[in-house]
Amino acid sequence: MSLSKFEPNDDILDFVIKKANGLKGLVDTNLEVIPSQCIQPKEQRLDKSQIDNQESIPTIDLSNFDDLSVEKSIQEAASKWGFFQIINHGIPIEVLDDLKEAGHKFFELPAEEKVKYSTESYSAGESVLMFWSAIGEKDEKVLEWRDTIRHGCNPQNDSNLWPSQTRNQVLEYQKWATPLAKKLLEVLLKGLDVNEIDESLEPLLMGTKAININYYPPCPNPSIAIGIRRHCDVSCITLLLQDDTGGLYVRRTKGDNWIHVNPIKGALAVNIGNSLQIMSNDRYKSIEHCVSVDSNRGRISVPLFLNPSPDSVIGPFPQMLKDGEKLVYKHVLYSDYWDHYFTKRPSGKASLDFAKI
Ligand code: OGA
Ligand code: NI
């Protein structure tokens, strides 16, 4: 495998992003200390003293998905926690295992292969895209410790352009996960007194779909880096498959603590994103979350994002508003909100402000 070497004076953004070596490529050069461009400012690191080991987010058994009590637990978890895990959701374990394995295979590829999928400008409409997250002004950009490949799952996207290492596994997962996500959205809408998803609601709730595969390589200085900074997803909902490494933390709605999302074999995590919090006028909560990294183990995670279509106008559903209920959000064009979210990168909950009245 031919790998360009990283030397201390090299331009790290060039090495990691432009040449597509990724953070994995950096680690593979037997790096002992992380470069300064990967050191997060204090407020973006995970403060271990703020981890609450007593609490955990709810786990919901979907064996009897149509039971009223199951629907109630989903709606309650979305209001109280904004983040929960689901088990017995019907997706075969092999489909999940094959997907994680495919992720490893892709990120193992040499940079010369991976560079075909990377571009320097982030665009929402691509069929496939490898990208990195360097946040900050020009010379002060700080890199998150993660390599990501995004598979666009929309009619205009072409899965033939996806890497052969991930194509079939992502397609198979998509086949199982999309109806599951739709059913979850239906239950969530029912809790808002909005009828089931008909043709007019589908573009609003799941008009844009994407499956990312994240690889978080082992990190020599995990306490000063971060895999993903604290953020709220811009989506309606996100379904997340994680491996057994751990490292995903969610912030309590009240207080300052972080709770670990303990990996459960075969489970998926589900979280409410900003778009559904806005549509629900705050009934459902989009919760801050972040990913820490580990010095020994790499980690794979696979989020499926269900987003509004770019031309959707998002705002509180009129039919759910109670008499005299105060509107927290105005109606905004989703593509404007998306642009704001990814260009301004507002931190955590501040990412909702754009739509606030
Ligand atoms: C995300 C995210 C969590 C994880 O991609 O938005 O929060 O565990 N991922 O990778
Ligand atoms: Ni997220």
Side-chain angles (χ1 to χ4, degrees), residues 17-35:
I17 299 177
K18 211 162 171 190
K19 300 209 170 74
N21 289 289
L23 279 310
K24 173 153 195 327
L26 197 60
V27 172
D28 287 347
T29 63
N30 292 323
L31 190 78
E32 281 174 10
V33 179
I34 65 172

Side-chain angles (χ1 to χ4, degrees), residues 27-311:
V27 172
D28 287 347
T29 63
N30 292 323
L31 190 78
E32 281 174 10
V33 179
I34 65 172
S36 59
Q37 296 92 333
C38 296
I39 302 176
Q40 293 290 338
K42 259 213 170 71
E43 68 276 11
Q44 294 296 345
R45 300 177 196 163
L46 180 67
D47 180 351
K48 292 265 151 119
S49 72
Q50 288 186 336
I51 296 172
D52 179 345
N53 289 313
Q54 309 303 316
E55 284 279 14
S56 58
I57 60 167
T59 301
I60 302 174
D61 186 338
L62 297 188
S63 306
N64 301 308
F65 207 158
D66 296 323
D67 281 6
L68 224 54
S69 63
V70 175
E71 293 190 353
K72 270 242 143 17
S73 341
I74 294 171
Q75 294 155 353
E76 240 179 67
S79 328
K80 255 178 88 179
W81 294 87
F83 228 113
F84 51 97
Q85 303 205 67
I86 51 175
I87 53 170
N88 297 317
H89 43 63
I91 305 183
I93 192 88
E94 306 80 58
V95 173
L96 306 181
D97 287 345
D98 289 353
L99 184 58
K100 287 180 277 185
E101 184 61 32
H104 279 289
K105 288 225 170 81
F106 174 77
F107 289 108
E108 290 291 333
L109 289 174
E112 292 83 339
E113 281 297 313
K114 288 188 284 200
V115 79
K116 295 178 195 159
Y117 305 102
S118 70
T119 112
E120 274 181 85
S121 62
Y122 185 85
S123 140
E126 306 269 358
S127 291
V128 63
L129 178 65
M130 207 178 166
F131 67 90
W132 290 269
S133 185
I135 306 172
E137 291 309 314
K138 279 191 169 69
D139 296 333
E140 283 147 27
K141 284 193 187 300
V142 182
L143 260 176
E144 293 177 336
W145 199 263
R146 147 180 77 118
D147 298 337
T148 303
I149 181 161
R150 166 171 297 222
H151 306 75
C153 301
N154 307 297
Q156 73 274 19
N157 297 135
D158 181 2
S159 60
N160 287 314
L161 301 173
W162 298 355
S164 62
Q165 289 75 17
T166 60
R167 187 184 307 133
N168 292 339
Q169 294 78 3
V170 172
L171 282 172
E172 186 63 17
Y173 177 65
Q174 187 194 344
K175 203 176 82 193
W176 289 91
T178 309
L180 172 62
K182 186 168 173 179
K183 201 153 171 205
L184 286 165
L185 279 165
E186 253 155 13
V187 169
L188 289 165
L189 286 208
K190 210 166 149 188
L192 301 174
D193 297 323
V194 178
N195 289 333
E196 67 219 54
I197 305 185
D198 61 16
E199 273 171 26
S200 66
L201 278 175
E202 201 161 317
L204 182 65
L205 293 162
M206 46 195 303
T208 315
K209 301 192 287 284
I211 295 179
N212 285 6
I213 306 182
N214 295 311
Y215 177 66
Y216 303 87
C219 176
N221 310 100
S223 62
I224 53 173
I226 198 93
I228 298 193
R229 288 184 178 195
R230 64 181 63 187
H231 68 283
C232 296
D233 292 355
V234 71
S235 59
C236 290
I237 59 167
T238 307
L239 262 61
L240 180 92
L241 169 67
Q242 60 168 340
D243 67 16
D244 61 3
T245 313
L248 171 61
Y249 290 85
V250 308
R251 200 162 170 84
R252 291 213 56 143
T253 24
K254 292 199 179 65
D256 255 352
N257 292 336
W258 292 95
I259 303 171
H260 189 230
V261 180
N262 295 324
I264 302 173
K265 195 165 171 46
L268 295 172
V270 179
N271 64 287
I272 306 299
N274 287 354
S275 295
L276 191 55
Q277 174 160 348
I278 292 168
M279 291 177 207
S280 74
N281 205 37
D282 277 351
R283 299 263 221 298
Y284 295 144
K285 304 291 189 307
S286 171
I287 298 301
E288 283 184 359
H289 50 289
C290 69
V291 177
S292 68
V293 286
D294 186 82
S295 54
N296 293 311
R297 299 184 67 186
R299 172 173 182 266
I300 285 276
S301 73
V302 187
L304 159 60
F305 298 103
L306 288 302
N307 296 341
S309 62
D311 59 353

